[in-house]
Amino acid sequence: MSGPALHLAVELDGDGSHPAAWRRAAHSPDQLLTPRRVAGLATVAENAGFTLITLDDGVLPPGAAPDPVGRIGAMERAAFVAASTSTIGIAPVVPVTYAEPFHVSSQLASLDHISAGRAGWVVTEEESPEAARVWGRPPVADADARVRESRDGIEVVRSLWDSWEDDAVIRSVATSRYLDRDRLHYIDFTGETYAVKGPAIVPRPPQGQLVVLGRPDQVPAGQLDVALIAGRDPAAIATAAASAGTPRVFAEVEVALDTPDATGAERVADLARYASWTDRGRLRHVGSADGLVAALDGLSRHVDGVRLHPLVLDEDLPLLSRLVLPALSERRLVARPLPGTSLRSTLGLARPANRFAAAAVLEETR
């Protein structure tokens, strides 16, 4: 546990966590993929005091007709949001089952530079064999192989972030040198399925290492900064949190709040006429804002944060902003991110030393 503050994240992909959420959205379907929509949601979340927004993604379409079947890439959305916000953390979902970790490293490092140290990375898997065809690669079919790809991908990405020491960029006019080549390093990674030489093509991120979030059953705990854990009740979440083995633990919670026009249960029933709300094994709160505040208060005894998945963003996010976060703030359960702080600092995580620089210092002392 990081302290008394409960960090709140919110997933902002699409129109909400329900596949038919678009049917209750406050905008026309053609507005879903517009920059104004993305920036508007991020602004609401930032003004409300959320610690972090996440942006889901995958190489395959997110749904099937008649529901929305397209999305803009999470990395592109994150970069746009980074330029239009100032305090909130931004963590795109980027699977490394098939993606080249060298490119993932460059994109995420660039995002951290754009956001001045507010970037994170949600690591997931591409489970469908159809994803392999999109990438033109052989399928990674079994769970153990996908874990291997995630493990190797994270190791490569983290190593590349360190392949530039913090002072590698010297910008020396007198010597006409931009870089000190002695402060750039080959990572020389060799895994079971590929090898990467390095170094990176982007300077070390402002945070040194971006905050890495993921599920402990998909990513070794030692590679994560934040474990995303599920459980259908508080007891299951408490058990999972106790065994996570990561610096920080966030619980996954789905929410359908009572609105002035309909209860949460009525809203879920309305959308159930078109599709079922996918059961992902998460705690689900369907009811009042006060009930959610009480539930989050209870969870704060076991976890460092919660990632909320609203049923319908246009209906639930305003209620979270007006009723839930202010009530949690009054109880001193949440703390608003401060201007000028990195995501690591907000979460109480130290900035890691550069592994290559540390190794050089250790060698000199011998």
Side-chain angles (χ1 to χ4, degrees):
M1 298 289 291
S2 60
L6 183 71
H7 301 288
L8 292 185
V10 60
E11 170 57 50
L12 295 185
D13 184 58
D15 279 315
S17 65
H18 196 287
W22 65 275
R23 295 180 180 274
R24 297 185 64 92
H27 62 87
S28 59
D30 64 342
Q31 297 299 305
L32 176 60
L33 303 183
T34 61
R36 179 177 297 179
R37 168 72 179 171
V38 175
L41 290 173
T43 298
V44 171
E46 180 170 64
N47 290 341
F50 279 95
T51 297
L52 175 69
I53 62 173
T54 62
L55 300 164
D56 200 8
D57 204 1
V59 71
L60 298 176
D67 298 321
V69 293
R71 58 157 63 106
I72 298 172
M75 195 72 76
E76 289 77 14
R77 283 178 286 158
F80 182 80
V81 168
S84 59
T85 56
S86 59
T87 60
I88 197 165
I90 308 156
V93 168
V94 186
V96 285
T97 308
Y98 301 107
E100 295 288 348
F102 188 94
H103 301 316
V104 171
S105 169
S106 299
Q107 291 173 322
L108 288 168
S110 298
L111 177 62
D112 205 43
H113 284 285
I114 294 169
S115 65
R118 292 181 287 122
W121 174 24
V122 182
V123 183
T124 59
E125 299 176 347
E126 295 279 14
E127 298 182 5
S128 173
E130 297 176 357
R133 289 197 291 271
V134 175
W135 285 98
R137 291 185 55 186
V140 181
D142 63 274
D144 289 342
R146 290 196 298 271
V147 169
R148 177 202 65 209
E149 293 298 304
S150 294
R151 178 200 66 209
D152 287 356
I154 294 173
E155 177 59 27
V156 169
V157 170
R158 284 191 177 277
S159 296
L160 287 168
W161 286 339
D162 276 351
S163 65
W164 290 50
E165 295 185 31
D166 289 320
D167 53 356
V169 179
I170 56 176
R171 299 185 179 92
S172 173
V173 176
T175 61
S176 299
R177 289 194 306 158
Y178 179 72
L179 296 174
D180 182 346
R181 62 184 299 174
D182 292 333
R183 291 184 172 89
L184 269 62
H185 304 276
Y186 295 114
I187 67 169
D188 292 325
F189 173 86
T190 301
E192 295 181 37
T193 58
Y194 60 83
V196 178
K197 185 74 171 175
I201 58 174
V202 178
R204 194 174 193 230
Q207 295 182 98
Q209 296 275 320
L210 278 68
V211 176
V212 180
L213 308 91
R215 288 169 41 182
D217 61 328
Q218 294 181 346
V219 180
Q223 293 184 314
L224 293 174
D225 297 300
V226 179
L228 300 174
I229 62 170
R232 290 187 172 87
D233 55 63
I237 288 176
T239 300
S243 61
T246 54
R248 300 289 177 264
V249 178
F250 278 33
E252 303 273 33
V253 178
E254 297 171 342
V255 296
L257 296 176
D258 296 341
T259 71
D261 301 321
T263 66
E266 290 170 342
R267 295 168 54 224
V268 173
D270 177 49
L271 293 177
R273 295 181 297 153
Y274 308 102
S276 61
W277 195 2
T278 308
D279 184 357
R280 295 182 172 86
R282 298 167 178 163
L283 178 65
R284 184 172 289 178
H285 174 82
V286 179
S288 68
D290 288 342
L292 179 59
V293 170
L296 295 178
D297 190 350
L299 288 176
S300 69
R301 298 169 176 80
H302 308 290
V303 298
D304 304 288
V306 172
R307 180 165 68 149
L308 299 176
H309 299 263
L311 179 79
V312 180
L313 284 168
D314 286 344
E315 294 180 323
D316 292 290
L317 187 56
L319 292 172
L320 291 169
S321 302
R322 293 199 312 268
L323 302 178
V324 176
L325 272 81
L328 291 171
S329 181
E330 289 178 4
R331 298 188 184 195
R332 298 187 178 181
L333 284 174
V334 296
R336 180 183 293 270
L338 298 175
T341 57
S342 70
L343 179 57
R344 295 193 72 90
S345 296
T346 298
L347 295 177
L349 298 169
R351 186 179 190 274
N354 184 291
R355 69 188 69 187
F356 295 102
V361 171
L362 180 61
E363 185 65 26
E364 290 176 359
T365 59
R366 289 178 177 175

